[in-house]
Amino acid sequence: MMLLNKNMLGGLIGAAVLNLIHTVAKRMDPLAPEVDKLGEEALSKAVSAAGLEPPTGSRLVAATLGADIASNAALYSLIGIGGKKHMLARGVLVGAAVGLGTLTIPGKAGLDDTPVKKSRRTEIMTVAWYVLGGLAAAAAIKAMRKG
């Protein structure tokens, strides 16, 4: 399998792990981050700014999920740039950067950041889950390169 395909597949695995963690945790913990709400607001505003009618209801949820998985997969695929050495460290760094960006960028972009800033614990979970997604992507890319 080509290196780019391995990176992309690994990124997709990391994004899937991240979304699974978010989905399960939201059902178990009222302070869990609700990144999906942030994404729905961002998508609605972006589509409206383009002069189009944003989706609503289940169409908005599906569009946001698709955009979230695609964007996180693309970000996590960057972990595979470079050799196998330090792959897990790159996973941690990329995950931490995306998690910290999720905490800081929305408010500056005019979005309601409450879904990821309900409490200090919510903020820690946000970053930790992106790190876990990064580690999953790194482990997947590294495993595929062994073959």
Side-chain angles (χ1 to χ4, degrees):
M1 185 183 308
M2 289 178 35
L3 190 60
L4 182 60
N5 290 341
K6 290 177 183 178
N7 292 351
M8 293 176 73
L9 181 56
L12 183 59
I13 290 168
V17 166
L18 172 65
N19 276 280
L20 180 64
I21 292 169
H22 277 174
T23 301
V24 170
K26 273 186 5 178
R27 293 181 180 168
M28 298 176 67
D29 186 347
L31 290 178
E34 297 177 288
V35 180
D36 54 327
K37 287 185 180 180
L38 199 56
E40 289 171 8
E41 180 186 4
L43 182 70
S44 291
K45 285 186 174 184
V47 171
S48 292
L52 301 170
E53 185 69 29
T56 58
S58 62
R59 288 180 46 226
L60 177 60
V61 170
T64 302
L65 178 62
D68 184 54
I69 289 174
S71 62
N72 285 318
L75 288 167
Y76 286 146
S77 72
L78 297 174
I79 294 165
I81 295 174
K84 285 190 269 186
K85 189 174 183 181
H86 307 300
M87 181 89 59
L88 294 177
R90 286 196 305 272
V92 169
L93 290 173
V94 169
V98 176
L100 291 169
T102 301
L103 294 178
T104 58
I105 294 171
K108 293 177 182 182
L111 299 174
D112 176 14
D113 60 5
T114 305
V116 293
K117 290 194 167 184
K118 297 179 211 175
S119 71
R120 180 52 113 186
R121 190 171 93 208
T122 307
E123 293 175 354
I124 291 168
M125 283 188 277
T126 299
V127 176
W129 295 345
Y130 279 98
V131 169
L132 289 173
L135 283 170
I141 294 166
K142 192 171 182 175
M144 286 185 278
R145 287 193 184 174
K146 286 183 180 179

